[in-house]
Amino acid sequence: MTDQESYMNSNLWDTSELFRNAVLELTDAANTMRLDPNIAERLKYPKRALIVSIPIRLDDGRIQVFEGYRVQHNMTLGPGKGGIRFHPEVNLSEVAGLAMLMTFKCSLVGLPLGGAKGGIRVDPTKLSRQEAQALTRRYTSEINMIIGPDRDIPAPDVGTDSQHMAWIMDTFSQERGFAIPGVVTGKPIEIGGSLGRAESTGRGVVYTIQHAVKHLASVGKGLGRIDSSMTVSVQGFGKVGNVAAQEIYQLGAKVVAVSDVAGGVYSKNGLNIPNLYKYFMKNHTLVGYPEADAISNEELFALPVEVLIPAAIDGVITSKNVEKVKAKIIAEGANGPLSSEAVKSVEERGAFLIPDVLCNAGGVIVSYFEWVQGTQNLFWSEEEVNKRLASVMENAFKKVVDAKTKYMCGMKTAALIVGIERLNRAMLLRGLFP
Ligand code: NAD
């Protein structure tokens, strides 16, 4: 990209695979589109990062201190936007990489928002409800100077949900003295959430699969529709994976395998996803579901399915196991589930990759709708939300396929190019301060 001497301490940022992959993908896109090296250099680093220590009193009376982060990667197009992750392996570098992906995602789908991300290094399954509440509230208080409806708007991610968003909204509002629902999205409906937000990411994943199937048919591959001849496996049965599995099942596809952190289940004839969901809600695990065989996460990746949806966590398909992956369409429901090497490998063997910044953008699109509805105090029907979501995703899909053709590159690079092109124009127009 540039042979200028770098004064940035890249060791600070690039300790995680996810950040290194994000920079590799940015570099590929920048080289392919011949991006101005000055812009490329700026995009390699976050604009701002805050590390906080969060002391809370545990239920047994001890005080424990956790580490939390909020990173704002680029805010040229508008306030920062990105989820908050509670996970034992979260670190500054991973959060910075995820914030970078949010920048490209928001730009790609045309939102007036920048990229940000947050996290706390904690195992949320070991916290009581009271401890989770204390941790969320104290974290909010520690990062309160850099978030807000016009600054940076968090949302749920791995290990957090609408209840955490309600606690953030309440803490932020208590500290200001009046209700400020616009500080977060993914809130419960009762306090300003949007209909369709909870399902939006999984729903969007399935919209992109529908577009992929149609696109492949237009180039002579496949029937162009989702039906019972389409086999699907899904890794992750959380907010994204569970909805994606339900939606694609409703369209008639045969979901043969689903897994989560504890393991998975497989049925050659297809799983009954609504029944499996009921079992999961009752037992909080997929393990032991009687109408299927047990399967490991690694075995799930190796199934000879039409569509694989990795919707759990990053870095699960790498150069070590990518050879086993046989799916014809790989829909990145999670952020960064395939390493850059794995992306190249699957695209070289002819699989169709739907990259994360496009595939899981439904969540941030409906988060944006939630923010818009809240600002106007005018709330839409779920039908209206879904109609607008479908239209934004269709538009973004077309732009990525057009960029793939224009630049003769893979879908991952094409998606980043579309995001970077818009951002590049905005950065050049705004110029460099001072
Ligand atoms: P979640 O916490 O609701 O669910 C995560 C799921 O992954 C759970 O089923 C968990 O058991 C499983 N899991 C965790 N670690 C695993 C492992 N090592 N192996 C197998 N399974 C594992 O999280 P989510 O919100 O569904 O997010 C999943 C992914 O989607 C993340 O990469 C997240 O960044 C991305 N994403 C989420 C949203 C959203 O709106 N929630 C939007 C865009 C992207």
Side-chain angles (χ1 to χ4, degrees):
M1 285 202 284
T2 173
D3 53 8
Q4 280 168 9
E5 198 169 345
S6 176
Y7 289 90
M8 291 296 291
N9 180 0
S10 62
N11 293 341
L12 182 69
W13 304 111
D14 68 7
T15 56
S16 72
E17 203 61 40
L18 193 137
F19 186 88
R20 287 195 292 272
N21 274 318
V23 173
L24 276 177
E25 284 156 10
L26 162 65
T27 308
D28 270 354
N31 290 339
T32 308
M33 68 193 284
R34 297 179 185 278
L35 180 67
D36 177 345
N38 293 314
I39 297 286
E41 186 63 12
R42 283 174 67 188
L43 290 177
K44 274 166 55 186
Y45 304 99
K47 170 186 173 65
R48 183 181 289 140
L50 185 59
I51 307 179
V52 294
S53 37
I54 314 158
I56 61 158
R57 193 177 297 283
L58 302 178
D59 293 346
D60 64 8
R62 282 181 304 133
I63 289 175
Q64 190 158 351
V65 187
F66 296 88
E67 192 162 286
Y69 319 90
R70 186 73 190 170
V71 178
Q72 295 165 343
H73 173 257
N74 185 294
M75 314 229 278
T76 304
L77 296 168
K81 190 85 197 80
I84 290 176
R85 179 172 288 198
F86 283 11
H87 193 274
E89 274 143 43
V90 162
N91 57 53
L92 177 68
S93 170
E94 180 181 281
V95 175
L98 289 164
M100 189 185 296
L101 292 180
M102 285 306 297
T103 298
F104 303 141
K105 191 183 301 181
C106 291
S107 179
L108 159 65
V109 296
L111 306 181
L113 295 168
K117 201 81 182 187
I120 302 179
R121 197 171 170 85
V122 60
D123 182 350
T125 61
K126 299 213 171 108
L127 298 174
S128 69
R129 182 183 159 87
Q130 182 48 39
E131 290 165 344
Q133 176 167 183
L135 188 66
T136 308
R137 286 185 180 279
R138 183 64 188 253
Y139 168 72
T140 307
S141 183
E142 295 297 342
I143 64 164
N144 113 24
M145 68 292 281
I146 64 165
I147 60 169
D150 302 317
R151 295 180 177 193
D152 181 1
I153 309 145
D157 191 69
V158 175
T160 55
D161 59 22
S162 58
Q163 177 60 74
H164 297 86
M165 297 307 113
W167 290 327
I168 295 177
M169 179 267 187
D170 185 67
T171 306
F172 192 81
S173 301
Q174 293 293 350
E175 286 176 347
R176 301 281 190 293
F178 56 99
I180 309 175
V183 65
V184 281
T185 58
K187 295 181 291 291
I189 304 295
E190 294 80 353
I191 53 168
S194 172
L195 293 169
R197 169 62 184 94
E199 301 80 10
S200 57
T201 311
R203 198 167 269 157
V205 167
V206 176
Y207 288 159
T208 61
I209 296 170
Q210 286 178 297
H211 291 306
V213 167
K214 279 193 203 138
H215 168 72
L216 288 170
S218 75
V219 293
K221 294 184 192 167
L223 297 174
R225 59 173 187 268
I226 294 179
D227 62 18
S228 59
S229 67
M230 175 185 274
T231 50
V232 182
S233 53
V234 186
Q235 188 199 33
F237 206 58
K239 295 181 292 297
V240 181
N242 147 31
V243 176
Q246 309 241 28
E247 292 279 319
I248 206 157
Y249 173 88
Q250 295 303 341
L251 291 175
K254 197 192 282 181
V255 182
V256 293
V258 171
S259 69
D260 73 3
V261 68
V265 287
Y266 168 75
S267 166
K268 189 166 71 117
N269 300 322
L271 298 159
N272 180 325
I273 299 296
N275 271 354
L276 180 63
Y277 181 66
K278 275 189 214 143
Y279 177 89
F280 179 79
M281 292 310 282
K282 194 166 159 214
N283 301 286
H284 307 289
T285 179
L286 300 163
V287 177
Y289 178 62
E291 287 163 46
D293 300 323
I295 190 172
S296 70
N297 274 286
E298 283 303 314
E299 287 166 339
L300 180 142
F301 292 142
L303 291 172
V305 286
E306 300 285 317
V307 182
L308 168 64
I309 311 177
I313 197 99
D314 47 272
V316 290
I317 302 177
T318 64
S319 54
K320 291 196 184 109
N321 61 353
V322 68
E323 290 303 319
K324 289 192 227 158
V325 177
K326 301 186 187 72
K328 294 184 187 139
I329 296 176
I330 300 162
E332 289 191 309
N335 284 313
L338 275 78
S339 70
S340 308
E341 282 170 323
V343 167
K344 285 207 175 86
S345 164
V346 295
E347 291 200 314
E348 270 164 27
R349 76 154 165 82
F352 189 84
L353 181 91
I354 311 174
D356 48 8
V357 288
L358 172 65
C359 189
N360 66 33
V364 75
I365 294 167
V366 178
S367 270
Y368 166 66
F369 294 164
E370 178 176 329
W371 183 64
V372 169
Q373 292 170 79
T375 307
Q376 300 180 341
N377 279 315
L378 181 65
F379 290 86
W380 309 339
S381 67
E382 186 164 356
E383 199 188 358
E384 175 77 19
V385 169
N386 292 343
K387 200 171 78 188
R388 287 178 186 258
L389 169 65
S391 151
V392 176
M393 295 220 56
E394 182 176 6
N395 215 348
F397 190 93
K398 278 197 190 126
K399 282 188 184 159
V400 175
V401 169
D402 288 349
K404 178 177 185 279
T405 312
K406 177 175 170 192
Y407 291 100
M408 293 186 291
C409 60
M411 283 290 284
K412 185 75 149 200
T413 303
L416 290 194
I417 287 177
V418 177
I420 294 168
E421 272 172 347
R422 174 170 174 236
L423 192 59
N424 175 42
R425 287 194 299 275
M427 286 172 79
L428 290 173
L429 283 167
R430 284 189 56 170
L432 181 63
F433 175 84

